[in-house]
Amino acid sequence: MFKGMPKIFFIGMAIMYGWCIGFMILEMLIPGLPLMKLFGVPACYIYNWIVGLWIINIVVSFLYFSMEEKREAAVAEKQG
Amino acid sequence: MGVNPIVLLGALIYFGILFWIGWSSRKASLDASDFYVAGRKVGPFVNGSALAATYFSPASFLGLPAFIFIIGYPFWWALVGIIGGMPIATLLTAAPLRKYAPTSFTDYYADRYETKWMRLAAGIPTIIGGFAYVILSIVGTALFMLAILKINFTFSVILSAVVVFAYIYYGGMVATTFSTAFQGITMTVAAVIAAAFVIGNYGGLNGLTDAILSNNPNFFNTPYANAVPSHKLMSMWSGVIGFFFTWHFGFSALPYTVVRFFTTQDIKAARRSVFWAVIVGGAMYAGLVIIGSGARVIIETMHPLMNTEGITNAMGLLKHMKTLYGVAGASVTDYSMIAAIEAFQRPFLLAILAAGGLAIAMATAAGWTMVLNVLLGRDLIGKVFGSKWPEEKPILVTRIMTVIIIVVCTLLSFKPPALVLDISGAAFIVILCSCGPPLVLGIWWERSTKMAAFINIIVMTFLSCFSWMYANTVHGSAHLFFLNKNWVTPHQFYWVFVGFAFFIVLSLITKPCSDETIQKYSLDLRPRH
């Protein structure tokens, strides 16, 4: 199952799920975590609103297309 | 509150641009390939923006802020789950399906599982989900028409249906791809500007947070960590996780997004279009989080109708709007986002929001109607039942199907069965647990079998529909486990995971497809190494 899937797919999944599930667990363990101050604003705006919702997914989707293009170029070069 | 000329002008400008795009691209929709898959010539940015506009519906634009308004901060994770599911599609389905280059969503099922009857099987949950989505799109368009024209909801539904119908009837995939890309930008700009206005009004994120807490001290409470949850649906971890996963895999496996991977120039453009869709969609969702979070305090402190006619809180105001405009069904809180922006009493802001709302509703209606009319016409009448009619007159057949779909959905839109986000959640789960495993594992697992695909689609369609309706009817909420109302399981989301496990077990005990089929529709679609 998933034979031939590029490694970057699993790395991207680990980054995204690690971040989301990790902070969900922290929220359930640390009372008031969303409202603790981080960079001068409630922490939830940083780890959920900006990074979790947007930045991480931009990074992962960028990695997915750019690493695949590089890998395909290397394969094409190898095969002449 | 009467019709504001600036709001009306904003809507007219929006329709003017849309008409211009449709008129400019009318000659590009003359053959079947252009009509169905836009001639496979759409670039990554345009396709990415169109993907975002199609994927995100009134369920996003109206429903997500409404659910944040009702449930509180923990629901932010549902939005993270939706955007987080988008990059997964890049390598999981977008690239392999573009390599395969079919015309319709059901082509893959018929080819990979070696029977034309798989089109019919995959068509059943798709029709259920598709009709639900067209209904919620017409309801969403009607709510924005209501905000612009201040007319009765019934007239608003009829007007919306006419607008959506005309838009799709003359469009086909070329016109809808380019105009949908424009709509993707419009809805994002609208959400971001409205959110910036909300933040600015309270002097920044700290001021906004203080205002939310002064209105609802439990808003940021999380399960277990706080004695009182933000809402009863967020009293246990399964509420947060369930809402996170309800829509999470939709971008990879739902027909109305999958078909947009078929329209790109090549595999590279298909992968890049997901990146652009994440940028456009993520920005819009960031805006929706802010609007939904601030909606209650904004309505209760600033709306001109507050403290008039016996209205004392936000829900009272929404119920007043429901009575005033004859909004039927359960969709009263869907108006919360519009009411929050109305509260600022800035016609320019409402005009932008209305244009964004119309954009997102019409784009989704168009995307789903295209999926349904290709499914009903080309796939079922033509490929399954053998009629030559869809092949000889593809555009005529597609347009007739469009008429039927819009008429049926309009009749059902007069009294929506649930909140737009609830209709969306039900549609997602039905399609994901039934059609998702045969699609994803058909590409990535050689052992996937015809019998497993067929049984999985039929059994999961029944179980997910039954359990959702049972919980909604008997327990009063589709978010409670249908066998035990003390457990929170939003939209019976677990069926997605059960569906994959069920499909794997069935595949292991039934006969695999031929080697030739596995090579052509599974191994050859994967990346070359």
Side-chain angles (χ1 to χ4, degrees), chain A residues 32-62:
Chain A
L33 176 67
L35 294 174
M36 287 177 183
K37 288 288 163 80
L38 186 65
F39 303 119
V41 295
C44 62
Y45 290 102
I46 304 295
Y47 69 77
N48 183 313
W49 186 57
I50 290 294
V51 180
L53 180 67
W54 211 34
I55 305 295
I56 273 204
N57 298 308
I58 290 174
V59 170
V60 171
S61 55
F62 176 79

PDB file of all heavy atoms in Angstrom, chain A residues 32-62:
ATOM      1  N   GLY A  32      -6.217  27.219  29.933  1.00  0.00           N
ATOM      2  CA  GLY A  32      -5.985  28.607  29.500  1.00  0.00           C
ATOM      3  C   GLY A  32      -4.918  28.781  28.439  1.00  0.00           C
ATOM      4  O   GLY A  32      -4.521  29.913  28.136  1.00  0.00           O
ATOM      5  N   LEU A  33      -4.420  27.672  27.844  1.00  0.00           N
ATOM      6  CA  LEU A  33      -3.359  27.793  26.836  1.00  0.00           C
ATOM      7  C   LEU A  33      -3.722  28.772  25.704  1.00  0.00           C
ATOM      8  O   LEU A  33      -2.887  29.591  25.318  1.00  0.00           O
ATOM      9  CB  LEU A  33      -3.009  26.413  26.254  1.00  0.00           C
ATOM     10  CG  LEU A  33      -1.968  26.432  25.122  1.00  0.00           C
ATOM     11  CD1 LEU A  33      -0.599  26.870  25.628  1.00  0.00           C
ATOM     12  CD2 LEU A  33      -1.854  25.065  24.449  1.00  0.00           C
ATOM     13  N   PRO A  34      -4.938  28.714  25.154  1.00  0.00           N
ATOM     14  CA  PRO A  34      -5.240  29.614  24.033  1.00  0.00           C
ATOM     15  C   PRO A  34      -5.055  31.094  24.372  1.00  0.00           C
ATOM     16  O   PRO A  34      -4.754  31.896  23.487  1.00  0.00           O
ATOM     17  CB  PRO A  34      -6.717  29.320  23.717  1.00  0.00           C
ATOM     18  CG  PRO A  34      -6.959  27.962  24.256  1.00  0.00           C
ATOM     19  CD  PRO A  34      -6.089  27.834  25.461  1.00  0.00           C
ATOM     20  N   LEU A  35      -5.219  31.459  25.653  1.00  0.00           N
ATOM     21  CA  LEU A  35      -5.163  32.880  26.010  1.00  0.00           C
ATOM     22  C   LEU A  35      -3.815  33.307  26.594  1.00  0.00           C
ATOM     23  O   LEU A  35      -3.616  34.488  26.884  1.00  0.00           O
ATOM     24  CB  LEU A  35      -6.298  33.217  27.001  1.00  0.00           C
ATOM     25  CG  LEU A  35      -7.708  33.100  26.409  1.00  0.00           C
ATOM     26  CD1 LEU A  35      -8.767  33.306  27.483  1.00  0.00           C
ATOM     27  CD2 LEU A  35      -7.914  34.097  25.270  1.00  0.00           C
ATOM     28  N   MET A  36      -2.893  32.351  26.769  1.00  0.00           N
ATOM     29  CA  MET A  36      -1.548  32.727  27.244  1.00  0.00           C
ATOM     30  C   MET A  36      -0.882  33.607  26.193  1.00  0.00           C
ATOM     31  O   MET A  36      -1.031  33.377  24.998  1.00  0.00           O
ATOM     32  CB  MET A  36      -0.698  31.470  27.474  1.00  0.00           C
ATOM     33  CG  MET A  36      -1.103  30.698  28.711  1.00  0.00           C
ATOM     34  SD  MET A  36      -0.110  29.210  28.853  1.00  0.00           S
ATOM     35  CE  MET A  36      -0.837  28.474  30.307  1.00  0.00           C
ATOM     36  N   LYS A  37      -0.147  34.611  26.647  1.00  0.00           N
ATOM     37  CA  LYS A  37       0.437  35.556  25.678  1.00  0.00           C
ATOM     38  C   LYS A  37       1.682  34.982  24.989  1.00  0.00           C
ATOM     39  O   LYS A  37       2.548  34.395  25.633  1.00  0.00           O
ATOM     40  CB  LYS A  37       0.799  36.864  26.385  1.00  0.00           C
ATOM     41  CG  LYS A  37      -0.428  37.717  26.771  1.00  0.00           C
ATOM     42  CD  LYS A  37      -1.062  38.345  25.554  1.00  0.00           C
ATOM     43  CE  LYS A  37      -2.463  38.860  25.775  1.00  0.00           C
ATOM     44  NZ  LYS A  37      -2.618  40.118  26.403  1.00  0.00           N
ATOM     45  N   LEU A  38       1.713  35.134  23.675  1.00  0.00           N
ATOM     46  CA  LEU A  38       2.852  34.716  22.868  1.00  0.00           C
ATOM     47  C   LEU A  38       3.084  35.825  21.837  1.00  0.00           C
ATOM     48  O   LEU A  38       2.151  36.167  21.083  1.00  0.00           O
ATOM     49  CB  LEU A  38       2.546  33.375  22.181  1.00  0.00           C
ATOM     50  CG  LEU A  38       3.672  32.706  21.406  1.00  0.00           C
ATOM     51  CD1 LEU A  38       4.815  32.294  22.326  1.00  0.00           C
ATOM     52  CD2 LEU A  38       3.145  31.456  20.685  1.00  0.00           C
ATOM     53  N   PHE A  39       4.255  36.389  21.821  1.00  0.00           N
ATOM     54  CA  PHE A  39       4.551  37.540  20.947  1.00  0.00           C
ATOM     55  C   PHE A  39       3.528  38.676  21.148  1.00  0.00           C
ATOM     56  O   PHE A  39       3.140  39.353  20.194  1.00  0.00           O
ATOM     57  CB  PHE A  39       4.589  37.138  19.477  1.00  0.00           C
ATOM     58  CG  PHE A  39       5.580  36.056  19.168  1.00  0.00           C
ATOM     59  CD1 PHE A  39       5.179  34.850  18.645  1.00  0.00           C
ATOM     60  CD2 PHE A  39       6.944  36.245  19.426  1.00  0.00           C
ATOM     61  CE1 PHE A  39       6.091  33.838  18.369  1.00  0.00           C
ATOM     62  CE2 PHE A  39       7.861  35.236  19.157  1.00  0.00           C
ATOM     63  CZ  PHE A  39       7.442  34.037  18.625  1.00  0.00           C
ATOM     64  N   GLY A  40       3.060  38.823  22.362  1.00  0.00           N
ATOM     65  CA  GLY A  40       2.188  39.952  22.700  1.00  0.00           C
ATOM     66  C   GLY A  40       0.711  39.752  22.403  1.00  0.00           C
ATOM     67  O   GLY A  40      -0.099  40.659  22.630  1.00  0.00           O
ATOM     68  N   VAL A  41       0.331  38.601  21.872  1.00  0.00           N
ATOM     69  CA  VAL A  41      -1.101  38.333  21.590  1.00  0.00           C
ATOM     70  C   VAL A  41      -1.465  36.963  22.158  1.00  0.00           C
ATOM     71  O   VAL A  41      -0.569  36.157  22.446  1.00  0.00           O
ATOM     72  CB  VAL A  41      -1.423  38.363  20.071  1.00  0.00           C
ATOM     73  CG1 VAL A  41      -1.205  39.741  19.483  1.00  0.00           C
ATOM     74  CG2 VAL A  41      -0.608  37.321  19.320  1.00  0.00           C
ATOM     75  N   PRO A  42      -2.753  36.665  22.350  1.00  0.00           N
ATOM     76  CA  PRO A  42      -3.120  35.323  22.813  1.00  0.00           C
ATOM     77  C   PRO A  42      -2.512  34.244  21.906  1.00  0.00           C
ATOM     78  O   PRO A  42      -2.537  34.362  20.679  1.00  0.00           O
ATOM     79  CB  PRO A  42      -4.652  35.324  22.730  1.00  0.00           C
ATOM     80  CG  PRO A  42      -5.021  36.757  22.914  1.00  0.00           C
ATOM     81  CD  PRO A  42      -3.930  37.543  22.224  1.00  0.00           C
ATOM     82  N   ALA A  43      -1.966  33.192  22.554  1.00  0.00           N
ATOM     83  CA  ALA A  43      -1.190  32.184  21.818  1.00  0.00           C
ATOM     84  C   ALA A  43      -1.978  31.504  20.698  1.00  0.00           C
ATOM     85  O   ALA A  43      -1.412  31.128  19.666  1.00  0.00           O
ATOM     86  CB  ALA A  43      -0.681  31.129  22.793  1.00  0.00           C
ATOM     87  N   CYS A  44      -3.291  31.359  20.865  1.00  0.00           N
ATOM     88  CA  CYS A  44      -4.076  30.647  19.842  1.00  0.00           C
ATOM     89  C   CYS A  44      -4.019  31.347  18.479  1.00  0.00           C
ATOM     90  O   CYS A  44      -4.154  30.685  17.442  1.00  0.00           O
ATOM     91  CB  CYS A  44      -5.527  30.448  20.295  1.00  0.00           C
ATOM     92  SG  CYS A  44      -6.422  31.969  20.580  1.00  0.00           S
ATOM     93  N   TYR A  45      -3.819  32.670  18.474  1.00  0.00           N
ATOM     94  CA  TYR A  45      -3.712  33.369  17.185  1.00  0.00           C
ATOM     95  C   TYR A  45      -2.422  32.980  16.460  1.00  0.00           C
ATOM     96  O   TYR A  45      -2.357  33.038  15.237  1.00  0.00           O
ATOM     97  CB  TYR A  45      -3.741  34.890  17.388  1.00  0.00           C
ATOM     98  CG  TYR A  45      -5.094  35.412  17.824  1.00  0.00           C
ATOM     99  CD1 TYR A  45      -5.338  35.753  19.147  1.00  0.00           C
ATOM    100  CD2 TYR A  45      -6.140  35.542  16.915  1.00  0.00           C
ATOM    101  CE1 TYR A  45      -6.575  36.216  19.563  1.00  0.00           C
ATOM    102  CE2 TYR A  45      -7.378  36.007  17.319  1.00  0.00           C
ATOM    103  CZ  TYR A  45      -7.595  36.336  18.635  1.00  0.00           C
ATOM    104  OH  TYR A  45      -8.824  36.791  19.043  1.00  0.00           O
ATOM    105  N   ILE A  46      -1.406  32.593  17.248  1.00  0.00           N
ATOM    106  CA  ILE A  46      -0.132  32.214  16.623  1.00  0.00           C
ATOM    107  C   ILE A  46      -0.180  30.747  16.182  1.00  0.00           C
ATOM    108  O   ILE A  46      -0.019  30.442  15.006  1.00  0.00           O
ATOM    109  CB  ILE A  46       1.055  32.422  17.613  1.00  0.00           C
ATOM    110  CG1 ILE A  46       1.079  33.871  18.121  1.00  0.00           C
ATOM    111  CG2 ILE A  46       2.380  32.023  16.949  1.00  0.00           C
ATOM    112  CD1 ILE A  46       1.352  34.911  17.063  1.00  0.00           C
ATOM    113  N   TYR A  47      -0.415  29.829  17.151  1.00  0.00           N
ATOM    114  CA  TYR A  47      -0.274  28.404  16.801  1.00  0.00           C
ATOM    115  C   TYR A  47      -1.471  27.849  16.035  1.00  0.00           C
ATOM    116  O   TYR A  47      -1.340  26.865  15.321  1.00  0.00           O
ATOM    117  CB  TYR A  47       0.021  27.540  18.039  1.00  0.00           C
ATOM    118  CG  TYR A  47      -1.099  27.386  19.047  1.00  0.00           C
ATOM    119  CD1 TYR A  47      -2.180  26.542  18.823  1.00  0.00           C
ATOM    120  CD2 TYR A  47      -1.070  28.083  20.249  1.00  0.00           C
ATOM    121  CE1 TYR A  47      -3.195  26.404  19.747  1.00  0.00           C
ATOM    122  CE2 TYR A  47      -2.072  27.954  21.191  1.00  0.00           C
ATOM    123  CZ  TYR A  47      -3.142  27.109  20.939  1.00  0.00           C
ATOM    124  OH  TYR A  47      -4.152  26.977  21.852  1.00  0.00           O
ATOM    125  N   ASN A  48      -2.640  28.462  16.156  1.00  0.00           N
ATOM    126  CA  ASN A  48      -3.816  27.964  15.440  1.00  0.00           C
ATOM    127  C   ASN A  48      -4.109  28.834  14.219  1.00  0.00           C
ATOM    128  O   ASN A  48      -4.095  28.345  13.088  1.00  0.00           O
ATOM    129  CB  ASN A  48      -5.016  27.932  16.397  1.00  0.00           C
ATOM    130  CG  ASN A  48      -6.282  27.363  15.770  1.00  0.00           C
ATOM    131  OD1 ASN A  48      -6.657  27.730  14.676  1.00  0.00           O
ATOM    132  ND2 ASN A  48      -6.941  26.459  16.478  1.00  0.00           N
ATOM    133  N   TRP A  49      -4.374  30.118  14.451  1.00  0.00           N
ATOM    134  CA  TRP A  49      -4.909  30.998  13.400  1.00  0.00           C
ATOM    135  C   TRP A  49      -3.911  31.261  12.273  1.00  0.00           C
ATOM    136  O   TRP A  49      -4.245  31.164  11.103  1.00  0.00           O
ATOM    137  CB  TRP A  49      -5.345  32.328  14.045  1.00  0.00           C
ATOM    138  CG  TRP A  49      -6.032  33.288  13.142  1.00  0.00           C
ATOM    139  CD1 TRP A  49      -7.154  33.071  12.411  1.00  0.00           C
ATOM    140  CD2 TRP A  49      -5.643  34.646  12.881  1.00  0.00           C
ATOM    141  NE1 TRP A  49      -7.505  34.217  11.722  1.00  0.00           N
ATOM    142  CE2 TRP A  49      -6.588  35.195  11.999  1.00  0.00           C
ATOM    143  CE3 TRP A  49      -4.603  35.456  13.330  1.00  0.00           C
ATOM    144  CZ2 TRP A  49      -6.525  36.512  11.552  1.00  0.00           C
ATOM    145  CZ3 TRP A  49      -4.538  36.766  12.892  1.00  0.00           C
ATOM    146  CH2 TRP A  49      -5.484  37.283  12.009  1.00  0.00           C
ATOM    147  N   ILE A  50      -2.654  31.595  12.634  1.00  0.00           N
ATOM    148  CA  ILE A  50      -1.671  31.936  11.597  1.00  0.00           C
ATOM    149  C   ILE A  50      -0.884  30.705  11.129  1.00  0.00           C
ATOM    150  O   ILE A  50      -0.879  30.387   9.945  1.00  0.00           O
ATOM    151  CB  ILE A  50      -0.685  33.031  12.112  1.00  0.00           C
ATOM    152  CG1 ILE A  50      -1.431  34.376  12.251  1.00  0.00           C
ATOM    153  CG2 ILE A  50       0.515  33.179  11.198  1.00  0.00           C
ATOM    154  CD1 ILE A  50      -1.900  34.970  10.930  1.00  0.00           C
ATOM    155  N   VAL A  51      -0.260  30.001  12.095  1.00  0.00           N
ATOM    156  CA  VAL A  51       0.626  28.904  11.685  1.00  0.00           C
ATOM    157  C   VAL A  51      -0.172  27.654  11.287  1.00  0.00           C
ATOM    158  O   VAL A  51      -0.015  27.120  10.194  1.00  0.00           O
ATOM    159  CB  VAL A  51       1.647  28.567  12.811  1.00  0.00           C
ATOM    160  CG1 VAL A  51       2.568  27.427  12.364  1.00  0.00           C
ATOM    161  CG2 VAL A  51       2.479  29.799  13.148  1.00  0.00           C
ATOM    162  N   GLY A  52      -1.075  27.198  12.173  1.00  0.00           N
ATOM    163  CA  GLY A  52      -1.816  25.958  11.914  1.00  0.00           C
ATOM    164  C   GLY A  52      -2.745  26.073  10.718  1.00  0.00           C
ATOM    165  O   GLY A  52      -2.843  25.162   9.895  1.00  0.00           O
ATOM    166  N   LEU A  53      -3.425  27.193  10.630  1.00  0.00           N
ATOM    167  CA  LEU A  53      -4.414  27.358   9.553  1.00  0.00           C
ATOM    168  C   LEU A  53      -3.765  27.656   8.208  1.00  0.00           C
ATOM    169  O   LEU A  53      -4.244  27.196   7.179  1.00  0.00           O
ATOM    170  CB  LEU A  53      -5.382  28.502   9.924  1.00  0.00           C
ATOM    171  CG  LEU A  53      -6.493  28.821   8.926  1.00  0.00           C
ATOM    172  CD1 LEU A  53      -7.479  27.677   8.827  1.00  0.00           C
ATOM    173  CD2 LEU A  53      -7.225  30.094   9.322  1.00  0.00           C
ATOM    174  N   TRP A  54      -2.674  28.407   8.218  1.00  0.00           N
ATOM    175  CA  TRP A  54      -2.188  28.942   6.950  1.00  0.00           C
ATOM    176  C   TRP A  54      -0.744  28.579   6.646  1.00  0.00           C
ATOM    177  O   TRP A  54      -0.464  27.903   5.663  1.00  0.00           O
ATOM    178  CB  TRP A  54      -2.400  30.476   6.966  1.00  0.00           C
ATOM    179  CG  TRP A  54      -2.652  31.055   5.617  1.00  0.00           C
ATOM    180  CD1 TRP A  54      -3.325  30.462   4.582  1.00  0.00           C
ATOM    181  CD2 TRP A  54      -2.213  32.318   5.134  1.00  0.00           C
ATOM    182  NE1 TRP A  54      -3.344  31.302   3.491  1.00  0.00           N
ATOM    183  CE2 TRP A  54      -2.675  32.453   3.803  1.00  0.00           C
ATOM    184  CE3 TRP A  54      -1.504  33.373   5.684  1.00  0.00           C
ATOM    185  CZ2 TRP A  54      -2.439  33.584   3.028  1.00  0.00           C
ATOM    186  CZ3 TRP A  54      -1.276  34.510   4.912  1.00  0.00           C
ATOM    187  CH2 TRP A  54      -1.738  34.618   3.610  1.00  0.00           C
ATOM    188  N   ILE A  55       0.188  29.047   7.507  1.00  0.00           N
ATOM    189  CA  ILE A  55       1.620  28.947   7.180  1.00  0.00           C
ATOM    190  C   ILE A  55       2.067  27.491   6.951  1.00  0.00           C
ATOM    191  O   ILE A  55       2.705  27.184   5.942  1.00  0.00           O
ATOM    192  CB  ILE A  55       2.498  29.572   8.308  1.00  0.00           C
ATOM    193  CG1 ILE A  55       2.065  31.025   8.564  1.00  0.00           C
ATOM    194  CG2 ILE A  55       3.980  29.474   7.961  1.00  0.00           C
ATOM    195  CD1 ILE A  55       2.288  31.974   7.419  1.00  0.00           C
ATOM    196  N   ILE A  56       1.718  26.608   7.878  1.00  0.00           N
ATOM    197  CA  ILE A  56       2.167  25.204   7.747  1.00  0.00           C
ATOM    198  C   ILE A  56       1.666  24.591   6.440  1.00  0.00           C
ATOM    199  O   ILE A  56       2.389  23.874   5.753  1.00  0.00           O
ATOM    200  CB  ILE A  56       1.667  24.378   8.956  1.00  0.00           C
ATOM    201  CG1 ILE A  56       2.681  24.504  10.071  1.00  0.00           C
ATOM    202  CG2 ILE A  56       1.432  22.913   8.601  1.00  0.00           C
ATOM    203  CD1 ILE A  56       2.694  23.413  11.074  1.00  0.00           C
ATOM    204  N   ASN A  57       0.433  24.906   6.086  1.00  0.00           N
ATOM    205  CA  ASN A  57      -0.136  24.305   4.872  1.00  0.00           C
ATOM    206  C   ASN A  57       0.467  24.888   3.600  1.00  0.00           C
ATOM    207  O   ASN A  57       0.596  24.186   2.597  1.00  0.00           O
ATOM    208  CB  ASN A  57      -1.663  24.454   4.889  1.00  0.00           C
ATOM    209  CG  ASN A  57      -2.254  23.719   6.065  1.00  0.00           C
ATOM    210  OD1 ASN A  57      -1.969  22.558   6.267  1.00  0.00           O
ATOM    211  ND2 ASN A  57      -3.047  24.408   6.874  1.00  0.00           N
ATOM    212  N   ILE A  58       0.824  26.172   3.648  1.00  0.00           N
ATOM    213  CA  ILE A  58       1.528  26.760   2.503  1.00  0.00           C
ATOM    214  C   ILE A  58       2.887  26.084   2.352  1.00  0.00           C
ATOM    215  O   ILE A  58       3.290  25.696   1.248  1.00  0.00           O
ATOM    216  CB  ILE A  58       1.697  28.294   2.691  1.00  0.00           C
ATOM    217  CG1 ILE A  58       0.342  28.991   2.571  1.00  0.00           C
ATOM    218  CG2 ILE A  58       2.684  28.860   1.676  1.00  0.00           C
ATOM    219  CD1 ILE A  58       0.376  30.464   2.887  1.00  0.00           C
ATOM    220  N   VAL A  59       3.589  25.921   3.479  1.00  0.00           N
ATOM    221  CA  VAL A  59       4.924  25.296   3.446  1.00  0.00           C
ATOM    222  C   VAL A  59       4.817  23.857   2.921  1.00  0.00           C
ATOM    223  O   VAL A  59       5.572  23.460   2.026  1.00  0.00           O
ATOM    224  CB  VAL A  59       5.561  25.317   4.863  1.00  0.00           C
ATOM    225  CG1 VAL A  59       6.819  24.461   4.900  1.00  0.00           C
ATOM    226  CG2 VAL A  59       5.877  26.748   5.275  1.00  0.00           C
ATOM    227  N   VAL A  60       3.858  23.096   3.454  1.00  0.00           N
ATOM    228  CA  VAL A  60       3.731  21.689   3.043  1.00  0.00           C
ATOM    229  C   VAL A  60       3.353  21.581   1.561  1.00  0.00           C
ATOM    230  O   VAL A  60       3.944  20.794   0.815  1.00  0.00           O
ATOM    231  CB  VAL A  60       2.700  20.951   3.934  1.00  0.00           C
ATOM    232  CG1 VAL A  60       2.387  19.561   3.380  1.00  0.00           C
ATOM    233  CG2 VAL A  60       3.216  20.827   5.363  1.00  0.00           C
ATOM    234  N   SER A  61       2.396  22.405   1.116  1.00  0.00           N
ATOM    235  CA  SER A  61       1.993  22.302  -0.301  1.00  0.00           C
ATOM    236  C   SER A  61       3.122  22.775  -1.224  1.00  0.00           C
ATOM    237  O   SER A  61       3.291  22.253  -2.325  1.00  0.00           O
ATOM    238  CB  SER A  61       0.691  23.060  -0.581  1.00  0.00           C
ATOM    239  OG  SER A  61       0.808  24.382  -0.179  1.00  0.00           O
ATOM    240  N   PHE A  62       3.938  23.756  -0.747  1.00  0.00           N
ATOM    241  CA  PHE A  62       5.103  24.185  -1.525  1.00  0.00           C
ATOM    242  C   PHE A  62       6.122  23.042  -1.624  1.00  0.00           C
ATOM    243  O   PHE A  62       6.642  22.755  -2.703  1.00  0.00           O
ATOM    244  CB  PHE A  62       5.748  25.427  -0.888  1.00  0.00           C
ATOM    245  CG  PHE A  62       7.000  25.872  -1.588  1.00  0.00           C
ATOM    246  CD1 PHE A  62       6.921  26.603  -2.758  1.00  0.00           C
ATOM    247  CD2 PHE A  62       8.251  25.527  -1.099  1.00  0.00           C
ATOM    248  CE1 PHE A  62       8.076  26.993  -3.434  1.00  0.00           C
ATOM    249  CE2 PHE A  62       9.407  25.903  -1.762  1.00  0.00           C
ATOM    250  CZ  PHE A  62       9.318  26.650  -2.929  1.00  0.00           C
TER     251      PHE A  62
END
